[in-house]
Amino acid sequence: VYFIVNKVCYFYYPFICVINFFFRKYFLIEQKIAEELIRIRDAKSKISYSDWENTIKHLEHKQGWEYTDEQKTAIKQICCSNVCLLTALAGSGKSSLMYPVTRIFRKNNVEFAQCTLSGKASLNLTELTTEVGQTIHRLLAYDPVTDRFMYNRKSQLPFEAVILDEVSMVGGELFYSLIQSIQTGGRLIMIGDPGQLESIGLCNLISDLVNSHAIEHACLTQIFRQAEASGIITDSIKVYHQQPIL
């Protein structure tokens, strides 16, 4: 038996080394992401909010409808956390919730930026919040000549808060480039749909963030009537919950 085991190990050792080499890449990027998120999470915040509840009431009066208790709880979690992840399935109004959050930022003179992976998603975010949205590459000032970002750990973003929408689409390496560029004492707000496909890049960020239980997590479960009228949305939710659609 000893002879056989040694022969097997000798034969497969090069393959094991190659596998360990590639898995080490995943391990290191996840470790770096965790370290950066903890840095932001545990820092003393530079941001203070005053009267954010009255800001919500003013918006409700202006809009003619009220936010649900679930949405108000999520807004409170976002305002009270250095790092917060907001998740919800389609039709729950997760991206729309960024409008009151950005109004609270504006009222308290908080410098912030909002970004997404794709240009289309950034346009959608701009329409929802009436604030400028941009891609992560544009926010970090990507230089195609050097293949590097102008903003990084040594030269961090001049914003006190960063909103990242569609986090489930973002790969680990790009996500790491973004969070290392956020100032210590700043805020990171992430929005995502756990029912979307995983990123084609490294890591499954949204799943790992939720399962870590180390990041403040707000979850919206209520589907609004406008979304309930959409067959695509209602059927996609049934598929997510493994329910028959026929």
Side-chain angles (χ1 to χ4, degrees):
V1 172
Y2 178 79
F3 175 78
I4 293 173
V5 170
N6 272 281
K7 283 292 185 182
V8 170
C9 290
Y10 178 79
F11 179 76
Y12 285 109
Y13 182 74
F15 300 99
I16 294 172
C17 288
V18 171
I19 292 171
N20 285 338
F21 174 79
F22 284 106
F23 273 104
R24 179 175 171 79
K25 178 181 181 180
Y26 291 100
F27 171 77
L28 290 176
I29 191 67
E30 288 182 347
Q31 185 181 52
K32 291 176 181 178
I33 288 172
E35 290 171 354
E36 289 298 326
L37 289 174
I38 291 171
R39 171 184 68 84
I40 301 170
R41 183 197 67 183
D42 294 345
K44 184 178 181 181
S45 179
K46 301 176 181 178
I47 301 172
S48 61
Y49 301 107
S50 62
D51 239 8
W52 66 269
E53 294 96 338
N54 285 334
T55 302
I56 299 300
K57 290 179 181 178
H58 172 73
L59 290 176
E60 289 176 331
H61 177 74
K62 181 180 177 181
Q63 294 166 162
W65 49 268
E66 296 183 357
Y67 292 100
T68 65
D69 291 339
E70 189 177 57
Q71 288 178 315
K72 291 178 181 178
T73 300
I75 293 171
K76 183 179 180 180
Q77 285 180 269
I78 291 170
C79 290
C80 297
S81 309
N82 280 358
V83 180
C84 186
L85 171 65
L86 174 65
T87 63
L89 297 178
S92 300
K94 58 185 181 299
S95 296
S96 301
L97 207 63
M98 289 304 101
Y99 178 69
V101 170
T102 56
R103 296 310 94 195
I104 293 170
F105 283 166
R106 284 298 182 201
K107 185 175 180 181
N108 290 274
N109 299 315
V110 176
E111 292 293 329
F112 68 93
Q114 50 183 16
C115 61
T116 63
L117 178 65
S118 68
K120 177 63 177 176
S122 67
L123 288 174
N124 182 55
L125 193 58
T126 299
E127 292 175 358
L128 291 171
T129 64
T130 68
E131 300 285 347
V132 176
Q134 50 194 320
T135 62
I136 299 173
H137 285 78
R138 184 177 179 185
L139 176 64
L140 298 180
Y142 174 70
D143 185 354
V145 177
T146 60
D147 192 28
R148 293 182 180 179
F149 295 113
M150 188 181 81
Y151 293 107
N152 48 50
R153 182 192 300 277
K154 295 180 180 179
S155 178
Q156 294 181 319
L157 292 164
F159 301 106
E160 298 169 286
V162 173
I163 298 171
L164 172 62
D165 198 5
E166 305 290 4
V167 65
S168 62
M169 299 170 61
V170 183
E173 292 175 310
L174 182 58
F175 183 70
Y176 175 63
S177 296
L178 175 64
I179 61 177
Q180 72 172 329
S181 303
I182 298 176
Q183 303 174 10
T184 299
R187 295 271 172 105
L188 172 63
I189 302 165
M190 298 170 284
I191 310 111
D193 182 349
Q196 284 185 332
L197 293 174
E198 299 173 13
S199 166
I200 59 173
L202 300 180
C203 307
N204 183 5
L205 288 174
I206 196 166
S207 177
D208 290 343
L209 289 170
V210 171
N211 294 328
S212 72
H213 303 293
I215 300 299
E216 190 71 26
H217 177 211
C219 181
L220 302 179
T221 59
Q222 182 177 341
I223 307 299
F224 292 98
R225 280 179 292 181
Q226 299 94 318
E228 287 177 346
S230 168
I232 294 176
I233 290 177
T234 52
D235 283 353
S236 69
I237 293 172
K238 286 180 181 179
V239 171
Y240 178 77
H241 291 296
Q242 299 181 11
Q243 297 172 352
I245 59 175
L246 297 177

